[in-house]
């Protein structure tokens, strides 16, 4: 049903390393923009000269995130790489991740 309604779950890793559901967005672009908005809430500019984006078979989405991070936050070094097997086994293809230092986890 979630696939038919185009619902995208937003998950995070808590302090104990467990995955937890943070939110649900309707549509891929809305989910990517939600990630960027959450980044804006927690962003610490002086600690973030470099941002990492992980992706699982969704390079176009990763490039969109990289462009937005450069534009919105002024980050010069954005690296895109494949997501690891542990997170990938829980999420499957199409996962996108932004890694940065924030005010909270």
């Amino acid at each position: 049903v979630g696939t038919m309604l185009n619902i995208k779950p937003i998950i995070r890793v808590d302090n104990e390393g467990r995955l937890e559901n943070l939110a649900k967005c309707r549509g891929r672009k809305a989910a990517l923009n939600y990630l960027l908005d959450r980044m804006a809430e927690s962003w610490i500019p002086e600690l973030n000269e470099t941002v990492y984006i992980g992706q699982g078979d969704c390079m176009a989405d990763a490039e969109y995130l990289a462009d937005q991070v450069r534009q919105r936050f002024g980050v010069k070094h954005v690296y895109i790489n494949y997501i690891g097997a542990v997170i990938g086994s829980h999420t499957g293809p199409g996962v996108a991740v932004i890694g940065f230092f924030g005010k909270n986890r």
Side-chain angles (χ1 to χ4, degrees), residues 22-95:
L22 188 61
K24 294 177 185 162
C25 295
R26 186 124 189 227
R28 184 72 177 177
K29 198 64 88 173
L32 296 174
N33 288 327
Y34 181 88
L35 291 176
L36 293 164
D37 292 342
R38 289 285 301 195
M39 183 177 175
E41 293 172 7
S42 183
W43 179 248
I44 303 172
E46 56 274 5
L47 294 179
N48 288 290
E49 293 181 9
T50 304
V51 171
Y52 299 94
I53 296 175
Q55 57 92 18
D57 249 1
C58 58
M59 186 55 87
D61 292 336
E63 289 172 354
Y64 169 79
L65 287 173
D67 289 341
Q68 291 298 308
V69 165
R70 287 184 192 103
Q71 288 176 18
R72 288 176 66 169
F73 304 103
V75 176
K76 292 182 175 67
H77 305 289
V78 180
Y79 296 101
I80 299 173
N81 208 336
Y82 288 101
I83 201 71
V86 174
I87 298 296
S89 67
H90 290 287
T91 60
V95 63

